[in-house]
Amino acid sequence: MVQALLISVRFLDGRFHGVGEWPPAPARLFQALICGGARGGTLPEDARAALAWLERLTVPVIAAQKGTRGQHYTMFVPNNDLDSVDGDPRDIGKIRAGKLVHPWLFDAAMPFFYGWLYDADDDQASNANVICNLAGEVYQFGRGVDVAWASGEVIDEPDLTDRLARYQGTLFRPTASGQGTFLDCPAIGSLASLEARFAAGRQRFTFHNEGHKTNVLFSQAPKAHFRSVAYDSPPSRWLFELRSTAADASFAPWPQEHAAALVVQLRDAANQRLADSLPDRAALIERVLIGRSASEADKGSRVRIVPLPSIGHVHADRGIRRVLVEAPTGCEIGAEDIAWAFSGLQVSLSIDVESGEILEETRLVRTIDLNMLDHFGVASDKPNRLWRTVTPAALPGRAARRRIEPGSLREEAKGGEERLQEHGRASTAVLQALRHAGIRAKVASIRLQREAFAAKGARAEAFSPGTRFAKERLWHVEVQFIDPVEGPLIIGDGRYLGLGLMEPVRRATEAFSFSIVDGLALHVNPEEVARALRRAVMSRVQERLDRGARLPAFFCGHTPSGEPLREGNHAHLAFAADLRRSRLLVLAPHLIEARAPTRQERGYLETLDAAIEGLTDLRAGAAGRLLLEPLPVMPDEDRLFAPSQHWESVTDYRPTRHAKRVGPADALVIDVLAEMRRQGRPEPQVEVLEVRDGQRGGFAGRLRLRFKVAQAGPILIGRSRHFGGGLFQSVG
């Protein structure tokens, strides 16, 4: 049975003086429990055992109200630099230092909740009860000026869920993605570190007599040990379906181009329903739902209505059948009130927004089937790097295209330079829109166009009628991030009107790239670096497999008996060190062989993607200890991947076999042509640039290839191709 330890904390004054953190960190509560339970300089044994038990539990969920920064002021305190006044404590007033204090302000009538879950048994229950008793001894929280008291109780897990659901504030839950607010939490060893700090603090000053002079030595106490945990505050979400009011109650799809009109109808109807029920809060309701009189600071608490076009299949008509309502946890209107305001709303389904031609009445019906949300990356366990707009983003006026009058020939006069400038302004505006939407991930590339990315999608201009946005401000946007990002992603000035909604583009990754940030030695062998990368990747993949499971040949290139895969069966990963660009590559076999991946290979690639996430430290022997950073591959721009007629060696080409009765240069040419035929590529004109002695009496060379028709990369051929040998780049 799972039980919960719930500690509620109340402050005497609505102020908290923590440095930069909100909400107050669990580590502060842990220290407050120690201070409350201590008797002089010691802790009772039962309290010590209970606190040691508490630091081993998983980090708690936190319920806190909205805090705002108060006015800062300066306090003057000694700076402990006694050396500057000859070590005389009587002169300490001469070395005062200003200390900036910036408190958090909140409603003192509302408590803060900290909830831990644990498996109930006799020992656990005993420790939990002791913690509850310690909570009753709390007298301050954080600094000494933050007078507070607390109470603890042991409840069942469903009761904790209910208490948190009814809390009129923000819920902060630990997140595994490492995104959000970082707070210090107790960890194994925290209690011991605090006791050591307390003991050292009692002996900070030591006195040494030297003749008639007494020197005072100040020693800094060791810092306490805590772990830093990322907390996020996920919004409350409700998914509704657009159903016909007819007897069959079938779906009543709304045209995707009129997404903004649907939002306006739903928003105004919900606002009216809430205002009629809560007339004294009408101004607040308008600010939260409509944005009327809202300031920049209020955007984080506004309710967002997101029409969801039907996607996920190439033949989906992309009509709007569902609506997501999202309320941030800092919203000043209760979650239950918002859900009630939208449930059962009726809207008029119309094709012509201007004429108001009504086809049928549509009702908003709440659903618990949340599968459609996965198509938009909502609450997904698989964040994505590549995102595309479903409804176009409304960018600022400075990012608008130049207006073209209907029927004019001015479109032809818009030159390449002007188009490039338009795209440059729009790309900058996209970065700003991402920042406004709270997306801090680094962007690798941005692509903009008027046409929809999907066959059933509509052009950007089609979403303009009935909105305040000129059609030139609307763009379809594709963004590729360096690190995976969770949904939903909604960007642009129209994000509260259903515009700028993005979908993750999930596809099998074919090439994984890492930038070498630091640590690479001079004059290293690229193949040795590639082998180090191979060892690291195999090790990380092995950790994800079941205990005792053999590493598939896809990752290691060896059969279960340990023998290398023979000729004609090279369906395993290749590893390459492209040292000219300070990067490492992991390449899928189907990409090298210019074919489609098999179903099994797609599964292996998903495993590989998960295994190498977070790979930042590569120990490559004599090549150095490399600091790595993920680096997306842009096929249309990368010289190893972009189509070209002319290709030149990046690494030495080693032939698979030496042709008889010919010289080394001719043997290289013959072997290259055989490799091209084996991959199904056309035969190029081969120019040998250099021939040198290779390993074990063999030879290697550098080549230039000229195709009659442009070929897409990567071109990776030869005997050592699985370790980056025989790698080519486009030239010219």
Side-chain angles (χ1 to χ4, degrees), residues 10-136:
R10 294 178 184 269
F11 285 75
L12 179 64
D13 192 11
R15 295 171 182 266
F16 172 67
H17 295 80
V19 181
E21 70 185 58
W22 189 263
R28 293 189 182 273
L29 174 58
F30 189 75
Q31 295 176 84
L33 293 172
I34 294 175
C35 293
R39 297 297 179 262
T42 61
L43 270 173
E45 286 304 319
D46 60 340
R48 182 190 303 277
L51 290 167
W53 165 78
L54 184 64
E55 70 183 14
R56 293 194 299 269
L57 295 182
T58 56
V59 294
V61 61
I62 305 172
Q65 54 187 290
K66 183 179 180 180
T68 57
R69 280 294 199 179
Q71 183 176 1
H72 62 79
Y73 58 92
T74 303
M75 294 178 60
F76 290 92
V77 298
N79 69 357
N80 296 324
D81 190 7
L82 286 174
D83 291 340
S84 62
V85 290
D86 297 326
D88 191 347
R90 293 172 295 182
D91 292 333
I92 202 169
K94 298 178 182 179
I95 54 172
R96 293 186 305 163
K99 191 170 186 178
L100 187 66
V101 179
H102 203 174
W104 290 91
L105 306 181
F106 52 90
D107 183 5
M110 287 183 62
F112 295 79
F113 288 152
Y114 297 82
W116 285 265
L117 294 176
Y118 63 92
D119 293 326
D121 58 33
D122 293 341
D123 292 338
Q124 305 269 36
S126 175
N127 287 323
N129 290 331
V130 173
I131 295 296
C132 292
N133 294 333
L134 291 177

Side-chain angles (χ1 to χ4, degrees), residues 574-591:
F575 303 85
D578 181 15
L579 300 184
R580 291 188 183 183
R581 297 166 186 82
S582 296
R583 65 174 175 176
L584 305 179
L585 296 165
V586 183
L587 303 173
H590 73 272
L591 179 65

Side-chain angles (χ1 to χ4, degrees), residues 181-465:
T181 302
F182 283 86
L183 300 175
D184 285 341
C185 296
I188 297 175
S190 294
L191 177 60
S193 70
L194 288 168
E195 290 180 321
R197 180 175 175 81
F198 174 75
R202 302 177 76 176
Q203 299 179 4
R204 287 179 298 172
F205 298 98
T206 55
F207 299 87
H208 302 277
N209 295 323
E210 295 182 3
H212 298 289
K213 185 178 180 181
T214 301
N215 293 326
V216 181
L217 178 65
F218 173 78
S219 300
Q220 183 71 46
K223 294 185 178 296
H225 167 66
F226 296 109
R227 54 175 165 167
S228 184
V229 177
Y231 276 81
D232 68 352
S233 49
S236 299
R237 296 188 177 106
W238 304 272
L239 186 63
F240 297 90
E241 294 178 344
L242 288 171
R243 294 283 182 175
S244 171
T245 56
D248 60 355
S250 59
F251 275 113
W254 187 281
Q256 60 174 323
E257 299 91 336
H258 299 156
L262 174 61
V263 171
V264 170
Q265 283 201 44
L266 294 175
R267 180 195 69 188
D268 292 346
N271 177 77
Q272 188 63 47
R273 178 181 284 186
L274 278 174
D276 292 343
S277 301
L278 304 169
D280 56 329
R281 308 186 73 188
L284 170 64
I285 293 168
E286 284 193 350
R287 188 168 72 247
V288 169
L289 278 176
I290 301 179
R292 193 164 294 154
S293 302
S295 64
E296 189 69 25
D298 293 322
K299 288 185 177 180
S301 61
R302 285 188 59 183
V303 173
R304 189 160 58 183
I305 306 166
V306 187
L308 301 180
S310 296
I311 61 174
H313 193 277
V314 66
H315 298 301
D317 62 5
R318 304 177 85 82
I320 299 172
R321 293 173 172 82
R322 298 168 183 84
V323 176
L324 175 66
V325 177
E326 189 177 80
T329 47
C331 183
E332 298 176 72
I333 301 177
E336 294 180 354
D337 293 334
I338 295 174
W340 168 81
F342 284 91
S343 296
L345 283 181
Q346 290 192 9
V347 293
S348 300
L349 176 62
S350 59
I351 293 296
D352 190 342
V353 177
E354 296 181 357
S355 67
E357 177 189 355
I358 298 177
L359 296 182
E360 60 178 316
E361 292 291 330
T362 303
R363 177 180 287 109
L364 215 58
V365 180
R366 187 172 175 182
T367 178
I368 60 173
D369 183 5
L370 307 180
N371 291 331
M372 180 56 68
L373 295 181
D374 187 61
H375 292 298
F376 295 92
V378 180
S380 174
D381 59 350
K382 294 182 179 179
N384 211 64
R385 293 185 176 91
L386 184 63
W387 293 77
R388 290 175 176 170
T389 51
V390 178
T391 56
L395 301 181
R398 63 180 179 277
R401 303 182 296 273
R402 178 163 61 89
R403 185 182 295 273
I404 303 298
E405 300 298 333
S408 71
L409 299 178
R410 291 176 60 194
E411 175 74 20
E412 298 179 2
K414 186 183 288 189
E417 183 176 354
E418 182 179 352
R419 292 179 185 276
L420 187 62
Q421 292 175 352
E422 283 183 352
H423 280 253
R425 291 192 299 269
S427 297
T428 302
V430 170
L431 294 175
Q432 184 177 358
L434 290 169
R435 187 167 59 253
H436 290 169
I439 308 301
R440 304 295 181 184
K442 293 182 180 180
V443 173
S445 66
I446 296 174
R447 176 183 169 194
L448 300 112
Q449 61 187 47
R450 304 182 195 181
E451 301 81 9
F453 293 104
K456 296 285 186 176
R459 288 176 60 93
E461 298 91 338
F463 293 80
S464 176

